[in-house]
Amino acid sequence: MPMDPATLTASALAALIRSRRLPALEAVQASLARIDRLNPGLNAIVQRMDDAALAQARAIDQRLARGEDPGPLAGVPVTVKVNIDQQGQATTNGLRIQKDLIASEDSPPVANLRRAGAIIIGRTNTPAFSLRWFTRNSLHGATRNPAFPGLTPGGSSGGAAAAVAAGLGPIAHGTDIAGSIRYPAHACGIHGLRPGLGRVAAFNATGGDRLIGGQLMATSGPLARSAADLRLGLAALSQPDPRDPWWTPATAAPYARRAALALAPDGLATDPMLRDAIIAAARTLEANGWEIGEPTLPPFREAMELQLSLWLSEFALSGAGAVAREADPDASFVHAELLKLAPPPTLEGFMRALQSRARLARLWRGFFTDWPVLLTPVSGRLPFPDHYDTSSPRAFAEVIEAQMPQIAPPFMGLPGLTVTTGRTATHPLGIQALADRGCEHILLDLADLLAPEIPATEVGPRPESSPPAARALDP
């Protein structure tokens, strides 16, 4: 059977294109054909720019023919999330009230992907306001999980994870403030990396500067089906950009091969299959010369509670009115439930949360000095049935509790890695690994040992699904 370029990893595809054994144009055409075939049943990609992608592929081939170097991702099709600026495209963030919010310039992640030679073939879906670990909104519709039908594709980068899992681009851009890269990667059975504070430059001109919580906790990162592609994706995304004053370069300092286990951090009720996945990963590390231990951990639950408090304090200023104007049923329900988890914001409460952040960050830095890696569950529960969170207040509370390992780390600006290590007939299995700020290289080394290459999932069209995105949104 002839090779389908759309199912290759970015690393393999880049090598073929660079050696001129495969034209970039053919790679992009294969991806667009696969989108035509599979995306109607998934609704992962909700904005397309076929003509621009094909023109960029031709330009890459011409540069290669002239002996030029178009970049490490030359000709590789990628997707970006609809909550960051891409020139000429709407930064919808899943909102009807932003459907005409057209970006006049590329955000740093988009600009960096282009500089690396990547070709953006589409923009991926997110829940309204990027507010859930499930992906549905009133503008673009719902995204479905290609690998595990009936389960959430995760959120908020659910479209990104579904696209990668289905082979609609081997690398996807995602964003993460409380698990929005790590959980979709887990739910769709792929891999995802949340870089730490300052590692990937950020700025959306359409939205202006974020408030302090967003500046401290939100980041962009890659989702992929192989460890090598995570490394390629981060290298491309993390290039400097003067629009982000907090960007910091990588250090790649040496580290001791010592990994701590947290099977049930702060009393989290962890599903036995997920506990077993962590133990199996630890054994793999041990077989490769790592020391494994179970030391006492700094707080998870306190960091989660403070993260929610800080974020909701900000959302009361910038987002609560927009929730009412958008009137998205999911976002309205989730916002109301989140408000139950944090007291009404006060200036003192906001300041105390930032004060506590310094203490917790210091505790975690001390921990990582002794134990450079921590293995935890991605979630306490196996991935949830789709839209379980909005089925009842009790279900929402269950989801929040299970997601503690995702919500807590961003409060300290920590990087986190999701690795899918196996699967059952109905669910993916995997782990989360955490490291200190500036130590993404440790997580990538860990991925080399633990992350299998995941084949692209074959799915058929589902007539009952949301309609496909419009084909032409080129500027």
Side-chain angles (χ1 to χ4, degrees), residues 79-366:
T79 59
V80 300
K81 192 173 173 182
V82 293
N83 67 348
I84 67 165
D85 286 355
Q86 178 181 340
Q87 186 179 32
Q89 304 296 324
T91 308
T92 70
N93 202 15
L95 303 176
R96 290 169 294 185
I97 58 176
Q98 291 185 193
K99 66 182 178 63
D100 298 317
L101 185 65
I102 307 300
S104 60
E105 63 183 50
D106 287 339
S107 61
V110 171
N112 281 338
L113 286 170
R114 291 196 200 277
R115 277 192 286 268
I119 296 175
I120 299 170
I121 55 173
R123 290 168 61 80
T124 56
N125 205 17
T126 186
F129 299 96
S130 295
L131 195 58
R132 302 169 65 207
W133 294 285
F134 304 74
T135 298
R136 178 173 64 189
N137 60 69
S138 300
L139 175 63
H140 300 304
T143 294
R144 290 170 172 79
N145 189 325
F148 301 93
L151 300 184
T152 174
S156 61
S157 304
V164 169
L168 313 184
I171 294 176
H173 157 271
T175 62
D176 189 314
I177 196 171
S180 289
I181 288 172
R182 292 161 289 149
Y183 190 64
H186 177 53
C188 288
I190 58 171
H191 314 306
L193 177 68
R194 173 206 146 82
L197 173 63
R199 191 70 183 86
V200 175
F203 177 66
N204 270 352
T206 57
D209 291 311
R210 302 189 74 165
L211 295 170
I212 188 63
Q215 292 182 41
L216 293 176
M217 296 183 289
T219 186
S220 290
L223 298 95
R225 300 194 311 275
S226 75
D229 284 5
L230 289 182
R231 196 178 291 274
L232 265 179
L234 179 64
L237 288 166
S238 61
Q239 295 302 304
D241 190 297
R243 290 173 290 177
D244 186 342
W246 312 124
W247 177 86
T248 53
T251 57
Y255 60 93
R257 292 191 296 173
R258 306 182 75 213
L261 302 190
L263 301 177
D266 272 12
L268 180 73
T270 306
D271 185 280
M273 287 192 286
L274 298 175
R275 291 172 66 102
D276 289 346
I278 298 170
I279 292 169
R283 288 175 179 159
T284 298
L285 293 181
E286 199 167 34
N288 282 274
W290 285 65
E291 178 186 346
I292 306 298
E294 294 189 61
T296 301
L297 302 178
F300 263 85
R301 190 172 299 278
E302 181 186 3
M304 177 184 77
E305 292 170 352
L306 289 170
Q307 200 262 30
L308 290 172
S309 174
L310 180 61
W311 186 74
L312 287 169
S313 295
E314 292 192 356
F315 204 74
L317 293 177
S318 60
V323 170
R325 292 196 305 276
E326 178 66 19
D328 179 90
D330 294 333
S332 297
F333 177 87
V334 169
H335 184 240
E337 293 303 309
L338 284 171
L339 289 175
K340 298 177 184 178
L341 300 177
T346 65
L347 177 59
E348 180 180 354
F350 187 81
M351 298 296 286
R352 294 296 184 190
L354 291 175
Q355 182 184 38
S356 295
R357 179 179 179 271
R359 171 177 52 84
L360 291 171
R362 185 167 53 252
L363 290 173
W364 278 101
R365 174 144 288 183

